[in-house]
Structures are given as C-alpha cells and as structure tokens.
Amino acid sequence: MQITTQRTGQRRILAAVAASAGIVQLDVIGAQLAVPALGVSLHADFDDLQWVINSYSTGLATFLLLVGSISDRWGRKRTYTAGLAVFCVMSLLCGISANATLLIAARSVQGIGGAALLAVGPALLSEVFEGRQRSFALGIYGSVAGFAMAFGPMFGGALISSFGWRSIFLVNVPACVAIAWLLRRFAGSPATRPSAPIDWGGGALIIVGMSSFVGLAMQVGNPAGAGGTTWLLVGTTATAAVAFVFIERRRGRHALFDVAEFRDLTTNGMLILALVTGTTSISIIFFSTVYLQNKIGLSPGLTGVAMLPLTLLVWVGNISSASLAKRVSIRALLVLSTSLVAVGAALGATSGPFELWTTLVLMMVISGFGLGLWNPIRLMVVIDRAQPGRAGMSSGYNQSIEYLGVVLGISLTGMFFQARVSSVLFDMRERLPPGTALHELAAQVVIGRIVRPADSMASSNRGIAEVAAAAYQSAFQHTMLLIAAIACAAAVVAAVTIRTRRLSDEHKAVQD
C-alpha cells in the first residue's frame, strides 16, 4: 500500500513539473499569436511588439544559470515553488496590463519565473525518481514540452479567438495554482546537501552583461536611437564580459561558469550555433504568425491551426533525433538541421499572398523538422563535451546563449522588415496620393494595418491599400531570405567547428 501511494505521489509530481514546462512553452508561442490583437488593443507600435517577445526571452536568458546555482543551496523544491509563484503573479499582471509598458515589464519578470521552472524542473524530478524511472520521467517531461510546442498554437489561437489576447496569460493562473497544490501535497522536502557558495559576483555580471547586450540588440532594431546610448551599452557589455571571465577564472571549481570550456572548438561552435539558431527559430515563427493574420487575414484560432505543419514537425524532429544520431554523424545532423531551416525560409521568400496551402505549408514542414532536430542534438553534444560534473552548467549557458539569439533575431529581422517596408513605399510613392506621409504610412504597414485583402477592397483610397499590401509582402519575403542566409551561415559553422562525429559510448550524466 505504501509503495502504491509513493508511486501515485511520484506520478503527480511528474504531472505537475511537466505541466509547468508546457505552460512556459505555451507562453512563448501564445504571445506571438496574440501580437496583432494586443497591438490593436494597447495601441502598441512595432518596437513595443518586439519587446513583448524579447522581454520574456531576456528574463529566461539572464537567470537560467544563476537560478540553478541558487537551487543547489536554497533547495530545489523551494526554488521551484518561488519561481512558480513569480510566474503565476506576473501572468496575472500580463493579463490585466493596461498598456504596452506594463505588459513588457511583467513579461520580463515572468521570464525570470520561467527560468526557475526550466532550470530546476529536471533537477527536481531527479530527486523524486531514481534509475530507469528517472530516465522515464525526464523523457515524459521533454515530451510534454514538445507536445505544448506542437499543439500550443492551436490551443492558444482558440483561446485568443474566443476570449481575447489576455486569456493567453490569465489561463496560467489556475494552472500554476494546481501545480503548486500538487507539489505541496506530494513533494517532500529532501535533506539539504552541502554545496558550494553561490557565485553572486558572476551572477550579477551575467545579469548586467546580458541585459546590456539585449539593450544593444534593440538599439540595432532602432537606428534612430543610436548614439551615446549605443556606445554606453557596448562598453557595459564588454566590461561585464571581461570582468566575468576574470572572476570566474579566480573562483575555479566553484565558478558559475567554467571558462576552460572555451578551449574546445566544438563547444565554441555549439555556442555560435545556439546564438544563430535562436536568431532564426523564433523569427520564422514570429513572422509566420503575424503574416497569416495580417496579410492572409486569418483569425488567431485559424492561425494556430495553420501553424500545425511547423509545430508538429518540430515535435517529430525532436523524437526522431535520438534514432537518427545512431545512424548519422552528429556533425551531419547539425548541418542538416540548419540547412533545412535555410531551405524552408527560402521557400517562404517565394510565397505569394494567397499561397497559404502550398508554399507556406511546405516552408513550415521543412523548417519545422530542421528546428526540431536541433535541441535534442544540442543537449547530446553539450553534455558529451562537458567536463565531468559540469554537464548541467554547460547545458545551461548554451541555452542562455540561445535565448539571447532570440532577442537578437527579433531585433535584427524586425529592423530589416521595417527598413524594407519603408524602402518599397518610397519606391512606389508616385502611386500614392500627393502629400501622403510615408513615415506614418510605414508605421501602419509594419504592424499590419491596411495590408489584408479585405482592406484593399474596403479602403477609401484603394491605391494606398494596394501599395501597403505590396510593401508588406515584399518585406516578408526579403526577411525570410535574410533568415535563410543566417541559417546557411549556421550550416557552415556546424561543418567547420563540430568535431564530434559520434557521441561517447557512455554519455556523461548530468550531475545534480
């Protein structure tokens, strides 16, 4: 009877932790589906909409490493519960935000809570399960996250269509409460273990350096704001990076980050690939979702359904990667992954406004499978190349770099998209009525106004609507070409830097 009760408790803990991974993933996808709707509701411009996506990724990137170290000393369950509380409260604040500034601020702190859930969740399961049960539990955990990625757009789109964009955040609140109850009811409090002191100095420098890097990335997306601020951010980022390396070298085995990792070419290559993959992955999803709503005219619910070819193939790629790794070299798989993303994005660049079920679907299938291959292979290689006992740390900073790539990608492609819209409008200015303010028109086009087929028919000035639609279409196609070019560069990096052809016969386990 006691064994049955124990197993029931373990299963419920697994359900709770896996569900938390699902809602963190849902907030990545759901917020992108909600972008057009919240842009209208909050009167947000394109820069605000970029920040809605980037602020969440920034919180995740800056705290992933530090929160893992904190949990070692403070306790896994306590740290996880605190992260869950932060995520829950910030989700509520996101859902009731009255303007874009409050939403962006709440999303930033929500990302910190999400970092605790992602970083501590697997370690928490490792305390509850042992042996083969642990492997099974971690597999279920990963599968639920993949399931949320696959069906999250459909679920999120249905929520937004039925209850508005706020529901995508508010639905987290009852879910978090249920997860907290399960943890309190069934998760014990394991005895604390001696651990190294928390590297607060390294953690503070990570936060400063990554935050200034994010600000710099957003300056790239806003050339008008360049100048003294840009150079200040460059200096802050560089100073924090140098100081971080210096401090971590002095801390030795107690460092938050082992700088000796930089001596390995494959590890450096994986860091570059993480940055570039983050740049391309969310950019493809972001521009696909806003294109389907702004240009094709789909509702958020139908957009979620239309995105299934991409998200389902991401899931297929995830579950196929381990099997493929037994038959194909790791370097070849990484080249294949990045190449498929490049081919898919290039196909997206050839799509016309009404080719939803042809070119765009093919783009989603090809790029989705390529994106799906990446993360499991990334984890395999990073753990395989890590120093003994440092696999968790290596995976953590690699994932942090990937989230920084997300911020850089949204900023870079967003800047490019805006510039392309302005360029096309300027080239076609003779077709516009005299006195048309190009800058104001460009701002409207960028956020998806006056570009749908229905807008062209209903507009009081059909000429403006047609020019706006042409500018939006051209900007989307050229942005996809840019993403394809970046993915091609990633394929070259993989071919040149990855020296791991096969994984070790005995994989190094992640040390708790």
Side-chain angles (χ1 to χ4, degrees):
M1 183 68 178
Q2 185 176 2
I3 294 176
T4 302
T5 303
Q6 180 182 2
R7 288 179 178 175
T8 300
Q10 287 178 326
R11 289 169 183 168
R12 292 180 180 178
I13 294 169
L14 173 58
V17 175
S20 69
I23 62 174
V24 171
Q25 189 67 51
L26 178 63
D27 263 47
V28 175
I29 303 298
Q32 297 186 53
L33 284 168
V35 159
L38 67 86
V40 173
S41 174
L42 301 180
H43 306 287
D45 60 23
F46 191 73
D47 289 338
D48 291 332
L49 300 180
Q50 287 181 291
W51 268 113
V52 169
I53 306 299
N54 281 343
S55 57
Y56 186 69
S57 300
T58 301
L60 287 169
T62 52
F63 281 85
L64 266 172
L65 275 178
L66 183 59
V67 78
S69 178
I70 291 174
S71 71
D72 286 339
R73 172 167 286 272
W74 202 36
R76 302 275 167 71
K77 179 183 174 182
R78 187 181 297 175
T79 305
Y80 188 87
T81 303
L84 186 66
V86 170
F87 190 88
C88 180
V89 172
M90 290 303 112
S91 294
L92 177 62
L93 290 180
C94 285
I96 63 175
S97 294
N99 55 60
T101 301
L102 291 177
L103 176 60
I104 291 167
R107 285 279 285 172
S108 299
V109 185
Q110 186 193 31
I112 297 174
L117 300 181
L118 289 180
V120 184
L124 183 61
L125 291 178
S126 71
E127 289 184 339
V128 177
F129 294 90
E130 297 179 350
R132 292 183 177 180
Q133 286 187 335
R134 178 183 296 179
S135 298
F136 173 77
L138 292 175
I140 293 295
Y141 175 85
S143 297
V144 170
F147 185 86
M149 176 69 178
F151 294 98
M154 187 168 63
F155 175 71
L159 271 180
I160 297 166
S161 292
S162 301
F163 305 105
W165 66 266
R166 298 179 187 277
S167 63
I168 202 69
F169 302 112
L170 295 177
V171 73
N172 294 335
V173 177
C176 288
V177 171
I179 292 169
W181 180 84
L182 285 172
L183 289 176
R184 181 177 177 82
R185 175 70 176 80
F186 296 103
S189 299
T192 56
R193 298 174 300 175
S195 62
I198 299 172
D199 184 6
W200 290 112
L205 287 171
I206 282 181
I207 294 171
V208 171
M210 288 191 173
S211 298
S212 57
F213 177 84
V214 169
L216 183 60
M218 293 304 292
Q219 286 292 321
V220 170
N222 182 23
T229 303
T230 300
W231 287 110
L232 176 63
L233 291 171
V234 169
T236 303
T237 303
T239 301
V242 172
F244 179 74
V245 171
F246 176 76
I247 288 177
E248 297 306 280
R249 289 186 65 180
R250 294 192 63 180
R251 286 188 62 84
R253 61 185 296 269
H254 299 310
L256 189 64
F257 177 85
D258 187 358
V259 295
E261 299 275 352
F262 283 129
R263 299 172 185 170
D264 183 60
L265 178 63
T266 295
T267 300
N268 291 334
M270 291 302 296
L271 285 175
I272 297 173
L273 286 176
L275 184 70
V276 177
T277 300
T279 300
T280 56
S281 59
I282 297 300
S283 296
I284 285 181
I285 296 173
F286 175 76
F287 281 100
S288 295
T289 54
V290 297
Y291 180 83
L292 290 170
Q293 294 180 68
N294 291 338
K295 191 68 176 69
I296 304 296
L298 299 183
S299 67
L302 288 177
T303 298
V305 174
M307 289 293 293
L308 279 176
L310 188 150
T311 54
L312 280 175
L313 264 295
V314 170
W315 192 22
V316 171
N318 270 308
I319 62 180
S320 302
S321 57
S323 177
L324 289 173
K326 298 176 182 178
R327 299 173 174 82
V328 184
S329 75
I330 294 299
R331 179 165 61 185
L333 278 180
L334 289 171
V335 172
L336 175 64
S337 170
T338 50
S339 298
L340 288 175
V341 174
V343 171
L347 279 171
T350 67
S351 63
F354 302 107
E355 294 175 348
L356 172 61
W357 305 117
T358 54
T359 309
L360 280 180
V361 169
L362 190 59
M363 175 202 81
M364 294 179 190
V365 168
I366 294 175
S367 60
F369 187 73
L371 292 173
L373 288 176
W374 157 252
N375 196 57
I377 299 299
R378 174 194 72 83
L379 187 60
M380 293 177 195
V381 176
V382 169
I383 290 177
D384 191 68
R385 304 292 292 198
Q387 300 294 324
R390 307 292 275 177
M393 176 209 70
S394 298
S395 177
Y397 71 69
N398 190 276
Q399 194 168 7
S400 294
I401 293 297
E402 185 171 0
Y403 281 118
L404 284 182
V406 169
V407 176
L408 182 62
I410 293 294
S411 302
L412 178 63
T413 55
M415 174 204 68
F416 184 84
F417 185 84
Q418 293 181 77
R420 184 61 190 171
V421 166
S422 297
S423 175
V424 175
L425 290 178
F426 182 80
D427 291 342
M428 302 179 70
R429 64 190 182 280
E430 294 181 355
R431 295 175 54 183
L432 298 170
T436 301
L438 291 180
H439 179 73
E440 295 179 5
L441 179 59
Q444 291 295 306
V445 172
V446 162
I447 61 176
R449 308 283 172 78
I450 335 173
V451 298
R452 300 182 186 180
D455 295 331
S456 300
M457 299 298 295
S459 175
S460 58
N461 192 316
R462 188 169 180 177
I464 291 180
E466 290 177 348
V467 171
Y472 193 93
Q473 182 68 31
S474 176
F476 173 79
Q477 291 175 327
H478 281 79
T479 302
M480 285 295 163
L481 277 179
L482 174 63
I483 294 172
I486 296 172
C488 282
V492 174
V493 170
V496 172
T497 64
I498 304 304
R499 291 290 179 262
T500 300
R501 291 182 176 273
R502 302 285 179 187
L503 297 179
S504 303
D505 292 334
E506 297 181 0
H507 298 309
K508 291 183 275 294
V510 180
Q511 300 298 314
D512 302 325

